[in-house]
Amino acid sequence: MEKHVLNTMEDPLAAARESTVEMLQTRKRTFSLPQPFYNDARLFALDMQEIFEKEWLFAGMTCEIPTKGNFMTLDVGDNPIVIVRGGEGTIHAFHNVCRHRGSRLCTKDKGKVAKLVCPYHQWTYELDGRLLFAGSDMGSDFNLDQFGLKPVHVRTAGGFIFINLSDEPPAMDEFLETLEHYLEPYQMDNVKVATESSIVEQANWKLVIENNRECYHCNGAHPELLNSLQEFDDTDDPRATPAYKALVARKQADWDREQVPYQLQRFGQRNRMTRTPMLDGIVSMTMDGKPGCDKLMGRLPNADMGSLRILHLPNSWNHFMGDHAIVFRVLPLGPQKTLVTTKWLVHKDAAEGVDYDPDQLRRVWDATNDQDRQLAEENQRGINSKAYQPGPYSETYEFGVIDFVDWYATRMLENLEYDTPSLQLAQG
């Protein structure tokens, strides 16, 4: 008892860790998670520590910081982060925390600077994180070299920026190499953000991801999206129709001739990418299915390129088409609050009002995001009830949700330093 009390005092989440492990080890695998995973503050704190502070996160696009001195910021829970383009095009990521008294350095979402200067006492850092100036009042023995910014691991591929806040990030080289290959036709050095939106959903981040990983709800909720989107993206899907399989075969022959990759690639349950046709005769996720931007992306020969779908758990899904791309980032704000940011990308030379209309470009996903927000929030309200108990997923329609929850459960247990081969997940 004394040891347990001592551990709890040293780690306020010790009891929550023990109960989380027990719930994950005894859960029914094809059922939704127990209630605390969706609304408990202590379990949310564990999510932030064991998932969002240990896994690779999608942070933004390289095109958002195109030249030296451009920066962007984001918050991973209580951790403010700054990503900056340094000399020779190198991208750096740091904890956005001054080494003097801890003030945030960069207070805007994005901008451009010559140096990183703390607004509190003007400590000044080079773009590579070295402390350059701390005033003359620190004493003659003060060593600038000991107070550089604390770095954050950062990797880039295919125009994507990923960050990791842990000391020893998991490997992701194979995924990054494949991502680079699949996005080569889009020439990601030549894109820009045409428009973006951020919405706050009053729902746990896992409900936001679960909602994205299935289209079971699409017929009843997303009329705008279903003007263009196929409900499935794999010919092995048991719901795939003969017409869809014939369309896939025809389009894949076109993509072979055009040397554009399309094969389904999986990297465990964390990452997935595949190119799939949209509805026959539809070329883009717009209200009329026609191109939303007249200037095509990269070296793509025409707008009819289907959608390259890219999944990165725990916080991103994406659609790349011939005329534009849409990238999504999820960041938890609280046990029942999640920030979803959407960015629409076009060729960097596309002219607003000439080649594209931002309002037309975003209409489908503005509607879809709002519909998904309502669904997730109603899901959260029901889960908060004392009547809630885990319910069964459809293994046909919701296999993507099952994959996500399996990934989450496995990573939580591994990151909590339990030996995964010994774990016995109850089969539901």
Side-chain angles (χ1 to χ4, degrees):
M1 177 62 70
E2 289 181 2
K3 183 178 180 181
H4 175 76
V5 172
L6 180 61
N7 287 341
T8 302
M9 291 173 62
E10 292 174 350
D11 178 3
L13 295 177
R17 291 175 187 275
E18 294 176 8
S19 62
T20 297
V21 168
E22 181 180 359
M23 286 188 289
L24 289 175
Q25 288 177 327
T26 58
R27 74 184 181 98
K28 293 183 178 179
R29 179 177 166 266
T30 58
F31 278 57
S32 58
L33 291 165
Q35 186 183 59
F37 285 93
Y38 299 115
N39 65 7
D40 184 85
R42 293 165 302 172
L43 212 150
F44 174 76
L46 285 181
D47 275 359
M48 299 311 297
Q49 288 184 8
E50 306 302 333
I51 298 294
F52 281 84
E53 293 182 15
K54 291 186 177 180
E55 302 298 327
W56 284 102
L57 307 176
F58 168 57
M61 306 300 295
T62 58
C63 67
E64 298 180 77
I65 47 173
T67 60
K68 181 179 178 180
N70 283 123
F71 71 86
M72 69 175 76
T73 63
L74 68 154
D75 292 327
V76 180
D78 292 329
N79 300 289
I81 307 297
V82 59
I83 303 169
V84 61
R85 177 88 65 167
E88 300 181 352
T90 304
I91 292 177
H92 305 278
F94 304 102
H95 288 275
N96 189 13
V97 177
C98 183
R99 292 297 307 282
H100 178 208
R101 286 169 55 186
S103 176
R104 282 197 307 160
L105 290 167
C106 300
T107 58
K108 296 181 179 179
D109 291 339
K110 57 188 64 177
K112 188 170 186 178
V113 294
K115 308 294 181 187
L116 297 168
V117 181
C118 180
Y120 201 175
H121 299 98
Q122 286 70 57
W123 278 33
T124 302
Y125 302 83
E126 186 53 88
L127 300 178
D128 62 8
R130 289 177 293 131
L131 179 61
L132 300 176
F133 172 79
S136 59
D137 299 327
M138 300 304 297
S140 59
D141 295 335
F142 181 74
N143 187 348
L144 294 171
D145 294 339
Q146 295 180 3
F147 292 92
L149 295 178
K150 293 190 176 182
V152 170
H153 295 282
V154 61
R155 300 289 300 274
T156 63
F160 283 71
I161 302 173
F162 300 95
I163 60 172
N164 186 287
L165 276 60
S166 69
D167 294 330
E168 297 181 5
M172 66 180 317
D173 289 353
E174 185 182 1
F175 166 67
L176 295 180
E177 290 170 5
T178 306
L179 183 64
E180 188 75 37
H181 172 61
Y182 270 62
L183 287 171
E184 178 276 326
Y186 296 86
Q187 297 176 349
M188 295 299 290
D189 288 338
N190 294 317
V191 302
K192 67 179 180 182
V193 176
T195 183
E196 65 181 273
S197 74
S198 288
I199 62 173
V200 174
E201 302 189 15
Q202 302 298 323
N204 184 271
W205 71 274
K206 292 185 289 296
L207 295 180
V208 174
I209 299 295
E210 286 189 33
N211 178 72
N212 171 261
R213 299 316 306 142
E214 50 92 356
C215 213
Y216 194 11
H217 68 277
C218 289
N219 274 327
H222 295 320
E224 295 85 359
L225 186 61
L226 290 185
N227 285 335
S228 57
L229 185 74
Q230 299 273 4
E231 286 190 52
F232 29 77
D233 59 10
D234 185 351
T235 54
D236 291 334
D237 190 311
R239 300 167 298 147
T241 64
Y244 173 73
K245 294 179 180 180
L247 177 63
V248 168
R250 189 168 78 248
K251 294 299 184 185
Q252 288 183 347
D254 293 339
W255 299 333
D256 275 329
R257 286 192 296 272
E258 293 156 352
Q259 296 184 318
V260 175
Y262 59 80
Q263 292 87 353
L264 172 64
Q265 300 282 349
R266 294 181 185 271
F267 302 86
Q269 293 167 315
R270 182 197 311 268
N271 298 114
R272 183 180 187 274
M273 62 187 78
T274 186
R275 185 182 305 278
T276 188
M278 286 180 278
L279 297 178
D280 199 6
I282 298 298
V283 302
S284 191
M285 290 181 179
T286 56
M287 292 299 292
D288 60 6
K290 297 178 181 178
C293 182
D294 290 336
K295 191 167 185 63
L296 299 183
M297 301 189 75
R299 66 170 178 84
L300 298 175
N302 60 72
D304 192 7
M305 303 305 298
S307 172
L308 173 60
R309 302 185 185 184
I310 301 168
L311 171 69
H312 174 74
L313 296 178
N315 78 320
S316 183
W317 63 89
N318 311 271
H319 292 278
F320 279 73
M321 294 156 287
D323 65 310
H324 75 283
I326 314 164
V327 298
F328 302 84
R329 185 187 70 191
V330 172
L331 291 173
L333 300 179
Q336 301 181 47
K337 183 180 292 188
T338 305
L339 176 67
V340 178
T341 299
T342 308
K343 299 175 183 179
W344 289 259
L345 311 178
V346 297
H347 193 287
K348 71 176 184 180
D349 295 332
E352 182 177 338
V354 178
D355 296 306
Y356 68 94
D357 175 349
D359 292 337
Q360 296 292 337
L361 199 64
R362 58 189 287 168
R363 185 160 294 170
V364 168
W365 274 101
D366 273 352
T368 303
N369 284 340
D370 189 58
Q371 292 153 359
D372 281 334
R373 176 190 61 76
Q374 295 178 57
L375 292 170
E377 290 179 352
E378 291 303 327
N379 196 180
Q380 182 71 66
R381 291 187 180 103
I383 284 174
N384 288 343
S385 167
K386 67 179 183 179
Y388 170 76
Q389 63 184 58
Y393 295 124
S394 164
E395 296 188 49
T396 302
Y397 282 88
E398 296 171 301
F399 61 89
V401 184
I402 295 171
D403 280 352
F404 162 61
V405 176
D406 278 351
W407 174 85
Y408 166 79
T410 300
R411 295 306 294 153
M412 279 292 281
L413 288 166
E414 289 176 349
N415 288 341
L416 287 165
E417 300 182 339
Y418 282 78
D419 184 18
T420 49
S422 70
L423 298 178
Q424 299 296 319
L425 298 181
Q427 300 297 305

